[in-house]
Amino acid sequence: GKNLSAGKDYDKASVVYTYAETGEPVGATDIVERGTTLRITVSAAKTGAYRGTVSGEYRISSYDIAKAKVTVAAQTYTGSAIKPDSASGVLVTYNGYGSGLTEGVDYIITGYDNNTNKGTAKLYITGIGGFGGTKTVRFKIQTRPFQWWWQN
């Protein structure tokens, strides 16, 4: 889409930040702590091409999960959807954060794509706790090694 212009497309004075949990306005001198969810509401300019009001929410975080390093151990074709996680070879680290990040505390895996057949698959990570944002990670699904009948 198109970037909107203050004064032309929306009234700058109509931009309102509130705490999502309480609905109270965010003060100009408030120090908003990480983990806080804010709501922003913007109204269209009376003379512009747009009409109405739009709202959205975002959470204040200390770290951006998109900057994390994610490695996924080699995965082998099984005929079923492959869903690697921290127990099966997903390692997430963040420079300057100490040890690896913990699934369920610092991030969650929110989905997978193309994760059944041999080739390149994707997994999607969303930051939680002190982490915000999202990251898409590619991983390889390798061919299952050939087994001779006497190896079974």
Side-chain angles (χ1 to χ4, degrees):
K2 165 189 167 210
N3 287 336
L4 302 180
S5 299
K8 179 181 175 190
D9 297 317
Y10 66 92
D11 291 324
K12 197 171 186 178
S14 77
V15 178
V16 177
Y17 292 89
T18 56
Y19 293 98
E21 193 173 296
T22 64
E24 294 292 318
V26 177
T29 59
D30 286 3
I31 298 173
V32 181
E33 298 198 17
R34 76 176 171 97
T36 302
T37 302
L38 298 179
R39 174 179 286 277
I40 181 173
T41 304
V42 180
S43 297
K46 292 180 171 100
T47 59
Y50 301 99
R51 299 286 178 261
T53 300
V54 66
S55 293
E57 291 185 358
Y58 63 95
R59 185 174 53 87
I60 305 299
S61 58
S62 299
Y63 307 100
D64 183 1
I65 200 74
K67 295 179 182 176
K69 180 180 179 188
V70 181
T71 55
V72 181
Q75 303 295 312
T76 303
Y77 172 80
T78 63
S80 299
I82 297 180
K83 297 181 176 182
D85 58 16
S86 60
S88 62
V90 175
L91 177 63
V92 182
T93 58
Y94 196 88
N95 190 21
Y97 193 73
S99 62
L101 305 186
T102 303
E103 185 174 0
V105 174
D106 302 311
Y107 70 92
I108 55 173
I109 297 174
T110 56
Y112 302 87
D113 274 332
N114 302 319
N115 60 322
T116 301
N117 296 318
K118 176 184 167 265
T120 302
K122 293 180 185 175
L123 72 94
Y124 302 97
I125 294 176
T126 298
I128 60 174
F131 288 85
T134 60
K135 184 171 182 100
T136 301
V137 180
R138 297 181 195 287
F139 66 95
K140 295 283 185 187
I141 300 175
Q142 303 170 345
T143 304
R144 181 176 26 204
F146 182 77
Q147 285 189 325
W148 292 97
W149 59 273
W150 66 81
Q151 291 176 319
N152 288 337

